[in-house]
Amino acid sequence: MSYQVLARKWRPNSFAEVVGQEHVVKALSNALDSNKIHQAYLFSGTRGVGKTTLGRILTKCLNCEEGLQSSPCNKCQACESINEGRFIDFQEVDAASRRGVEETQQLLETVMHMPGSSRYKVYLIDEVHMLSKHSFNALLKTLEEPPPHVVFILATTEPENVPATVLSRCLQFHLKNLTPTQLSDRLKEVLSEEGIKYDDESINQISRAGRGSLRDCLTIADQAIAFCNASLTDSLISEMLGTLPYDKVYELIDCVINEKADKLVKNLREISSLSVDYQRLMDLLLETLQHMAIIQISPETVSDLNLPSEDIIPLSESLKAEEIQLLYQIGLIAKRDMDLAPNIGDGFEMALLRMMSFLPEEKETTQSKKKVVEDKAELKEETISKKSSSKPTATTKNDTEKKKNSLAFLDSKEWNKIFNSLKLGSGTKQLISHCSFLRAEDTVIYFSMPKDKLEILNGTHREKFQDCINAALDFECVIFFEEGEALESSPNKTKQKKKAKRLNKASEAIKNDPAVKNILDSLGGTIIESSITPKESQ
Ligand SMILES: [Zn+2]
C-alpha cells in the first residue's frame, strides 16, 4: 500500500477523536442530540486546527443511516462514502479557487434539488472569505431562505472578511489554536501507533514548529520520519528544521546574560558550520525570551508551555523584567535587519554581541552578583510560596467553573448586568446594546437584533464580543444573533427608559422648585422643556 500522509491517515472520524476544541464539540453534540439543526454554520480559526474536519464529521452526524446523532457509526454507506469523499449529497468547495459569481450560482442552483437518499444536502465552502462580492450576494439570498433539506458549513481563516449580512445567518464557532501540550500528546499517540521511535525533545520541537496547527505538526512529522529514518532525535530534528536544539539556544542566552564572550563566539563558530536558518534561529531565541518573561510573571506556566524547567527557570530568574524586554527588542530589530548584513550569520552574531553589550555592567561586580544570588533565593522562595498558595485558589476556581458550566442562570436581567460590565470599545458596545437576550440553550446564547444593526455587526465586532463575554462568564459559550425587533429588554432600550425617567424626575423637580415658581410668578414666563437635562451621574 502506498504511504498515506499522517494528517490524512489520522484525521478524526468522530467528535470524540477531535483534539482540543471542546467548547465547539460540546455545543455541536448537544444540538445534534436534541435535534436542533441550524442551516448555516461558520467555523473560523487558523489553518490546520480542524475546521473542515469538523465540517465532515457534522455531515456524517446529519446523514448517518443509523439516525441523526452526535456519534456517527462510521460503518454505514453514508458515513463511509463521506469519509472517502464520494458522498453525492456532500459538496466540498474551495472558495479560493472558485470565487466567481457564475461558479457560485451554478453551485447554488443545485440547492433546490432534493437530496438523493440522504436527510440533508450539505455544502462545505472552505476559505469562504475569498468569495467575490457578487458571490456573497448570491449566497446570502440562499441563506436568507434555505430549503429545509440544506445545511451550509462555511469555513474561514479570516472571519473579519466575511460580510456581516452572511455572518448574521450563521451559527459561528471559533476554533482555537492547539497548545504545545495538546500537540505533543497527539504526536506521541500517532507516532507510537505508527511504530516510530522518538525522544521527548524531538516531539517538543515539532509541536513548537507547528505553531498551534495539528495538520502542520503532522506534516512536519512526515518529513521527520523520512529524514530521521523512522527514529526521531532532537539533533536530527534541529538539523531538519534548520534550527538548534533548545538546550543550545539556552546556552546562547546564558552566554549573553553572563557575559561569556569567548564561549559565545565559540558557539557561534560551531553554529556557522551547520546549515542553520538564522531567521528561524532568531525566532527561537525570541520565543525563549518571551517564555522567560512569562515565567517571571507566572512560574506555573512552565508545564503548560512544555518547557524544561531546570533550564529555563534559572535563566528567567537571572534577568530583570526590563532587561528581558531590552534583549527582546534588540532581537526583534535584528531579525528585521539581519538580511541587510553582508552575511546573515554575521548579522546574527552582531545581534547577540549587541545584546551582551547593552546589558547593564553592574552585573560584573561581586557585590551585585551576591545581590543577584540573594534575589534568586528570594524569588525561589516566592515561587514556592506562590505555587503552594496557588493550589487552593485553583480548586475554588474549578468549583466555580463547575457551577458555571451551565448558562441556566442567564436571563435578560442578568444579561443586562453582564452587558454593563463588558469591557468593549465604545463602537462595539453601542452596537451590541441593541441586542436583546432571548434564551440560553446548553452552551449557546441566543440574542435578537434589529436587521439594520445586524447588518453592520461584522466579524471583528463578533470576535471582540465573543472574547469579552467568555471572559465575563468565565465560560466558553457560542453566541447566535437572530434577526428581530428591538425588545424592551435590550440594554439600549433599558438605558433610554432610565434616561427618560431621570428626565421626568428632573423636570418635575424644576417645576416644583419654590425658587423657580417664585421667578415664574413674579416675572412671568415658561420653562422650556427641551432645555432640561438630568445629571448623568445617577
Ligand atoms: Zn453511519
Side-chain angles (χ1 to χ4, degrees):
M1 213 179 107
S2 63
Y3 183 76
Q4 200 180 9
V5 296
L6 293 176
R8 185 170 284 260
K9 186 169 173 187
W10 293 95
R11 190 171 205 178
N13 272 324
S14 66
F15 286 136
E17 289 172 19
V18 173
V19 179
Q21 322 302 356
E22 290 83 2
H23 62 298
V24 178
V25 166
K26 200 174 159 206
L28 283 175
S29 305
N30 286 341
L32 284 162
D33 288 334
S34 47
N35 273 335
K36 274 178 240 141
I37 312 297
H38 277 266
Q39 289 203 275
Y41 297 84
L42 180 89
F43 295 130
S44 57
T46 47
R47 44 178 273 127
V49 290
K51 298 183 292 295
T52 54
T53 297
L54 278 173
R56 246 175 248 186
I57 298 173
L58 179 59
T59 308
K60 280 188 282 183
C61 295
L62 292 170
N63 282 321
C64 175
E65 286 165 15
E66 294 206 347
L68 186 76
Q69 53 176 329
S70 63
S71 41
C73 74
N74 274 311
K75 287 190 197 103
C76 69
Q77 193 140 24
C79 284
E80 272 193 346
S81 53
I82 293 168
N83 281 341
E84 288 160 15
R86 50 176 182 80
F87 190 62
I88 200 125
D89 290 320
F90 178 49
Q91 293 254 15
E92 205 175 335
V93 186
D94 178 20
S97 58
R98 300 189 48 171
R99 309 182 56 224
V101 66
E102 284 94 23
E103 285 154 318
T104 309
Q105 269 163 350
Q106 265 173 23
L107 179 78
L108 294 175
E109 269 166 24
T110 65
V111 163
M112 297 315 291
H113 306 154
M114 290 301 286
S117 56
S118 53
R119 276 186 294 271
Y120 290 97
K121 266 182 115 137
V122 183
Y123 293 81
L124 196 164
I125 307 181
D126 197 11
E127 297 300 346
V128 69
H129 62 273
M130 297 291 284
L131 287 182
S132 69
K133 199 177 155 213
H134 291 298
S135 294
F136 267 127
N137 285 338
L139 177 64
L140 183 63
K141 273 202 197 97
T142 312
L143 287 179
E144 275 168 350
E145 275 173 88
H149 60 266
V150 167
V151 171
F152 281 94
I153 302 172
L154 313 180
T156 179
T157 47
E158 299 175 18
E160 65 279 9
N161 291 329
V162 178
T165 45
V166 171
L167 288 179
S168 73
R169 300 285 160 184
C170 301
L171 184 57
Q172 187 180 347
F173 293 97
H174 186 70
L175 276 59
K176 292 192 219 161
N177 282 0
L178 300 183
T179 65
T181 314
Q182 284 172 326
L183 292 171
S184 305
D185 289 351
R186 182 62 182 157
L187 271 175
K188 285 180 191 168
E189 270 171 35
V190 168
L191 292 177
S192 303
E193 287 284 329
E194 291 281 326
I196 306 287
K197 291 199 198 82
Y198 56 82
D199 60 24
D200 280 352
E201 201 41 44
S202 65
I203 297 290
N204 287 343
Q205 283 213 55
I206 297 175
S207 66
R208 284 192 204 106
R211 292 180 185 279
S213 157
L214 183 56
R215 186 174 63 217
D216 286 359
C217 269
L218 291 173
T219 307
I220 299 170
D222 276 324
Q223 296 164 6
I225 292 169
F227 190 86
C228 306
N229 209 1
S231 179
L232 277 50
T233 62
D234 191 18
S235 55
L236 278 174
I237 299 293
S238 305
E239 198 183 326
M240 183 189 91
L241 294 174
T243 59
L244 290 177
Y246 256 80
D247 52 356
K248 272 279 174 199
V249 176
Y250 293 150
E251 208 175 305
L252 287 179
I253 295 182
D254 179 63
C255 289
V256 169
I257 295 175
N258 295 307
E259 307 213 21
K260 300 175 192 161
D262 287 355
K263 199 174 166 199
L264 179 67
V265 172
K266 199 174 140 249
N267 268 320
L268 289 170
R269 291 285 162 273
E270 253 178 58
I271 292 169
S272 68
S273 68
L274 308 166
S275 56
V276 162
D277 176 344
Y278 281 101
Q279 287 285 358
R280 280 200 79 141
L281 187 54
M282 187 53 92
D283 280 345
L284 274 188
L285 208 86
L286 288 169
E287 207 175 281
T288 307
L289 287 168
Q290 187 223 346
H291 290 156
M292 286 161 59
I294 301 282
I295 287 165
Q296 276 192 347
I297 300 163
S298 58
E300 58 275 13
T301 44
V302 171
S303 55
D304 291 343
L305 294 168
N306 225 347
L307 297 169
S309 54
E310 67 281 7
D311 293 325
I312 195 149
I313 289 182
L315 280 182
S316 77
E317 284 173 353
S318 56
L319 283 181
K320 291 185 199 140
E322 61 268 28
E323 289 167 346
I324 298 183
Q325 290 298 331
L326 177 70
L327 298 190
Y328 192 84
Q329 198 56 36
I330 294 174
L332 214 54
I333 293 171
K335 184 171 144 63
R336 189 191 63 195
D337 296 343
M338 252 171 8
D339 283 328
L340 301 177
N343 160 337
I344 189 163
D346 296 346
F348 184 81
E349 192 173 313
M350 285 304 281
L352 291 196
L353 292 173
R354 198 174 315 134
M355 286 181 184
M356 192 184 270
S357 62
F358 271 87
L359 279 181
E361 269 178 36
E362 58 185 81
K363 276 197 166 344
E364 272 186 338
T365 66
T366 42
Q367 188 61 37
S368 63
K369 273 254 167 72
K370 206 175 146 214
K371 174 106 180 51
V372 171
V373 174
E374 278 167 8
D375 283 351
K376 269 191 196 171
E378 265 172 37
L379 235 163
K380 271 221 172 100
E381 263 167 38
E382 262 176 44
T383 316
I384 291 164
S385 65
K386 254 187 215 159
K387 267 187 186 158
S388 54
S389 67
S390 73
K391 269 191 181 152
T393 45
T395 44
T396 46
K397 195 176 172 225
N398 244 342
D399 287 345
T400 50
E401 256 167 28
K402 253 179 227 157
K403 250 179 255 160
K404 281 189 176 167
N405 234 335
S406 125
L407 294 171
F409 73 97
L410 257 189
D411 55 22
S412 61
K413 211 172 152 193
E414 275 300 321
W415 159 244
N416 283 5
K417 264 192 233 161
I418 293 170
F419 172 81
N420 288 328
S421 73
L422 292 182
K423 292 186 179 65
L424 283 167
S426 58
T428 314
K429 194 153 189 172
Q430 171 64 20
L431 195 54
I432 298 287
S433 76
H434 291 282
C435 74
S436 336
F437 173 86
L438 286 179
R439 62 190 184 279
E441 284 171 5
D442 302 317
T443 53
V444 187
I445 309 178
Y446 292 81
F447 294 105
S448 108
M449 203 172 195
K451 187 163 188 259
D452 58 323
K453 303 292 181 225
L454 204 51
E455 281 173 358
I456 39 179
L457 188 74
N458 63 28
T460 317
H461 294 136
R462 283 164 187 266
E463 207 175 311
K464 282 184 190 154
F465 181 48
Q466 175 85 63
D467 289 346
C468 256
I469 203 167
N470 283 351
L473 294 172
D474 195 12
F475 179 71
E476 288 282 349
C477 60
V478 176
I479 45 177
F480 186 69
F481 294 94
E482 284 176 7
E483 190 185 308
E485 289 299 305
L487 299 182
E488 287 302 314
S489 60
S490 73
N492 185 278
K493 292 256 171 164
T494 313
K495 197 177 158 195
Q496 279 177 14
K497 267 186 277 174
K498 269 191 192 154
K499 206 172 160 188
K501 221 171 163 183
R502 283 209 309 272
L503 184 63
N504 238 331
K505 221 171 140 191
S507 139
E508 284 300 310
I510 287 180
K511 278 181 203 154
N512 296 328
D513 189 302
V516 176
K517 263 189 183 162
N518 215 344
I519 293 171
L520 289 181
D521 288 345
S522 56
L523 300 174
T526 47
I527 298 168
I528 302 168
E529 288 272 348
S530 61
S531 69
I532 301 173
T533 42
K535 281 184 186 168
E536 270 303 321
S537 56
Q538 267 186 338

